Amino acid sequence: MTDFWVYFSAKPLLWIVLTVATYMFSCWLNKRVGRSALLHPVLVSMAVLIALLALTETRYETYFSGAQFIHFLLGPATVALAIPLCDYFDRIRRLWLPILVALLVGSSVAIVSATGIAWLLGADSGTILTLAPKSVTSPIAIGIVEKIGGYPSMAAGLVLITGVLGCLMSPYVFRLLKVRDEAVKGFSMGLSAHGLGTAQALGISSLAGAFAGMAMAVNGVVTAFLVPLLLSLAGI
């Protein structure tokens, strides 16, 4: 049995099949528990795959040799978010001013709150810089961190944690604030929880998904400009 595992663990097909199977199981489990945010499919899939890799002592490079095919689809999937966005373009165009103001305020609060709390708790400058773009999608966050002198590997983890927490907390926040507008829900999730929030918003409706995709994309651009500006004003 050991020889069997050693042989197949080196095959890319094994890891892509296990990744897809794990995600399908996670979606089934999430549906069975009433789509609870505590058992978000991405969160469950991460836990299962990390446990599997740790138990089998499989290197990440070996796993990624198969998972890279799914990673490649991230680009087309992101571009595909333009489809629901196009369907609701007229509504978005009418709301351009409140959307712009909300984006600027939301991006600024995300940067200032994270770096401010880290500074108050005595974090070093590298950690503070790494926390600044934690609310944007991973490729943009890592690119920003590399430019400003943070820790790219830590940035990837912080972005993931931010997305998971955003998905976990958003239903309770919406219930507490009595938010019922699907556009508002989607916009807030895309702005604060990037790709994971957008995926969850698409589960609400195509309207929520459209606003989430727009917020995620524009927030990435806005953050790329705001982070250096706000850090320079703070003297960091």
Side-chain angles (χ1 to χ4, degrees), residues 81-148:
L81 291 173
I83 296 175
L85 185 62
C86 183
D87 292 337
Y88 297 99
F89 182 74
D90 288 339
R91 180 169 180 175
I92 293 172
R93 184 174 56 184
R94 291 195 302 270
L95 297 172
W96 71 269
L97 183 56
I99 286 174
L100 179 61
V101 173
L103 272 168
L104 291 173
V105 173
S107 298
S108 301
V109 169
I111 298 167
V112 173
S113 61
T115 54
I117 293 172
W119 177 75
L120 288 173
L121 294 177
D124 62 86
S125 60
T127 301
I128 294 174
L129 294 172
T130 305
L131 278 165
K134 52 95 181 154
S135 291
V136 300
T137 189
S138 295
I140 298 177
I142 292 173
I144 294 173
V145 168
E146 287 176 341
K147 293 294 184 182
I148 62 179

Side-chain angles (χ1 to χ4, degrees), residues 35-60:
R35 301 194 181 279
S36 170
L38 293 173
L39 290 176
H40 191 279
V42 174
L43 183 61
V44 175
S45 299
M46 283 172 47
V48 172
L49 289 171
I50 289 173
L52 180 61
L53 293 177
L55 289 172
T56 59
E57 298 182 352
T58 302
R59 292 175 57 84
Y60 175 75

